[in-house]
Amino acid sequence: MKPGYPLLLAVAMNVWVWPARADITVAVIGPMSGQHQAMGTQLAKGAEMAVEVINSAGGLLGQKVRVVVKDDQCDPKIAAGVAEELGKLKVALADGHLCSGASIAASDIYRRHGIIQITPASTATEFTDRGLPNVFRTCGRDDMQGFVVAEHILRTFRTRKVGILHDDTAFSRGLAKQTQRFLNRGGMQEAFMLEFPEKQRDFSGALDRIRREKVQVLFFPSYAEQAAAILKQAKQKAVQFRLVAGDPLMNEAFGNAAGPLAEGVQITFPPDPSDDRRNKALTAKYMERGYKPTAFTFYSYAAVQIWAQAVTRAGGTEMNKVAAALRQERFDSVLGKVGFDTKGDISAPGFVVYTFDQGRFEYLR
């Protein structure tokens, strides 16, 4: 057969044969194993549903979107390795990570590989303050969350002695410092601010300090296992205080680990999109599959949803063009009508206060 004959035949038959187009790949990255697995599952469920909805509507730029799920165990070193792997896979979007330290460690690697990164959960101010062109977040920042925590404590516990106990992760240390800053600005001096290693589960020393200092309110921006441990040990030692915590406790893992001791714990977290009537059908779709979309689920969904709209407006997945669209446009999403500032921080409402009430998280009225 002569060269060019198949093309001539195709023309004669009025049939054009184009090369197959590859799928667009997005990745969702978080702790899919280990103590933070419940929150990693929320990220995965959000991204997977968003991709399903995009594909059911015809895909993106005429192409099918494929999602890969990667486990970073909330470890910055593992996160960096995952980022390099995803760079080789030429993914267009990194929906993640959960932990701030992991997001920060991976972000510059994503930039080198031309990958947009949108975290649904990392609140450390450093993540967007470094001026990288490819980083965005659908959640709030530690300075926003720290302000809400401090205002809540100043308003509700003005006459109580307050202590701050945080772990050594980027998230926990950052939120503790921001909260301390706003408490001090509001005229309250904490009784102490102590740091412990993230893997520590023995809080005897801290509890002795709480008893000795007569602390009545403890701000504890750490994770579910640690919070459950200090509550159980406090009960054993008959040390009483009100626990106020940050967004990592907004998951079933905390309630399961702490049991009845979770009752009355107060937590800051962004507004729950499942309460928005515009998300009623999507929430029902999740529930029909036996999954309740809590905490970070919608924030991960929004990361993919908003990115896809930016890709459409940019006319492709090239990082700089998509980043420009993200910063210049506003987008309809499960979080409402949102946009991003020049740093990549979202315009959506920041944080509200919840309380653990009879096994459920309820807005604190």
Side-chain angles (χ1 to χ4, degrees):
M1 187 176 290
K2 294 180 180 180
Y5 182 76
L7 178 60
L8 292 172
L9 179 61
V11 172
M13 296 175 64
N14 198 31
V15 176
W16 290 96
V17 181
W18 299 101
R21 302 182 73 182
D23 294 343
I24 297 174
T25 303
V26 303
V28 56
I29 318 98
M32 305 303 166
S33 63
Q35 67 161 313
H36 307 311
Q37 183 177 1
M39 291 183 284
T41 298
Q42 292 164 10
L43 267 58
K45 293 287 188 181
E48 289 167 348
M49 181 67 83
V51 166
E52 179 181 323
V53 170
I54 290 168
N55 286 334
S56 67
L60 184 60
L61 302 178
Q63 296 169 261
K64 182 179 179 181
V65 180
R66 184 173 70 96
V67 61
V68 296
V69 180
K70 293 293 182 180
D71 183 8
D72 68 3
Q73 299 176 41
C74 265
D75 184 309
K77 290 183 180 179
I78 296 175
V82 169
E84 290 287 5
E85 180 184 349
L86 293 175
K88 293 175 183 177
L89 291 176
K90 299 187 183 304
V91 305
L93 168 69
D95 177 1
H97 302 221
L98 176 85
C99 293
S100 292
S103 283
I104 292 168
S107 57
D108 195 58
I109 297 170
Y110 290 135
R111 182 196 59 78
R112 286 195 286 103
H113 286 287
I115 298 171
I116 292 289
Q117 179 186 9
I118 306 179
T119 174
S122 297
T123 56
T125 56
E126 182 185 351
F127 177 67
T128 50
D129 282 354
R130 293 168 301 150
L132 294 181
N134 62 313
V135 299
F136 301 84
R137 59 175 134 215
T138 54
C139 60
R141 294 163 48 102
D142 278 345
D143 45 5
M144 298 168 61
Q145 187 169 196
F147 175 80
V148 171
V149 173
E151 284 295 299
H152 171 62
I153 290 174
L154 289 167
R155 183 177 63 252
T156 311
F157 305 112
R158 166 69 73 172
T159 61
R160 310 285 180 88
K161 291 193 72 172
V162 176
I164 302 174
L165 179 61
H166 65 88
D167 66 48
D168 57 359
T169 62
F171 154 74
S172 187
R173 184 182 292 129
L175 181 53
K177 289 182 178 179
Q178 293 291 344
T179 302
Q180 178 194 40
R181 178 166 71 95
F182 287 115
L183 284 174
N184 295 167
R185 183 181 295 179
M188 178 179 283
Q189 182 64 46
E190 71 280 1
F192 59 75
M193 185 161 84
L194 302 176
E195 180 173 294
F196 65 91
E198 184 196 5
K199 294 182 179 180
Q200 179 177 311
R201 297 295 182 273
D202 181 358
F203 293 101
S204 300
L207 289 168
D208 288 343
R209 183 77 177 268
I210 291 170
R211 189 199 302 275
R212 187 167 64 251
E213 299 277 355
K214 295 182 173 57
V215 164
Q216 298 160 294
V217 178
L218 180 68
F219 179 52
F220 190 80
S222 192
Y223 298 92
E225 282 191 16
Q226 292 89 331
I230 195 169
L231 287 170
K232 290 176 180 178
Q233 291 167 37
K235 182 180 179 181
Q236 292 169 356
K237 288 177 168 285
V239 178
Q240 296 184 344
F241 53 85
R242 172 76 69 178
L243 190 74
V244 178
D247 53 291
L249 298 198
M250 191 69 169
N251 65 83
E252 292 181 356
F254 170 61
N256 293 337
L261 297 176
E263 194 73 10
V265 170
Q266 297 173 359
I267 301 164
T268 49
F269 197 82
D272 185 357
S274 67
D275 292 333
D276 190 326
R277 58 181 176 77
R278 292 170 294 185
N279 297 328
K280 185 176 180 180
L282 181 58
T283 300
K285 191 172 184 178
Y286 273 116
M287 297 295 283
E288 288 168 3
R289 300 181 183 186
Y291 177 75
K292 184 178 181 181
T294 57
F296 296 110
T297 306
F298 279 103
Y299 290 85
S300 178
Y301 184 105
V304 177
Q305 181 187 38
I306 293 167
W307 166 83
Q309 293 177 56
V311 167
T312 300
R313 296 178 193 185
T317 59
E318 196 274 324
M319 184 189 80
N320 290 325
K321 291 181 179 179
V322 175
L326 285 168
R327 287 184 169 88
Q328 294 167 8
E329 307 283 348
R330 290 183 65 80
F331 306 91
D332 291 314
S333 76
V334 292
L335 307 180
K337 189 89 168 180
V338 300
F340 298 92
D341 64 17
T342 56
K343 290 182 178 181
D345 292 317
I346 198 165
S347 62
F351 295 87
V352 294
V353 182
Y354 297 80
T355 186
F356 203 82
D357 183 16
Q358 298 181 18
R360 298 180 59 182
F361 294 102
E362 302 286 354
Y363 287 111
L364 188 64
R365 305 300 179 186

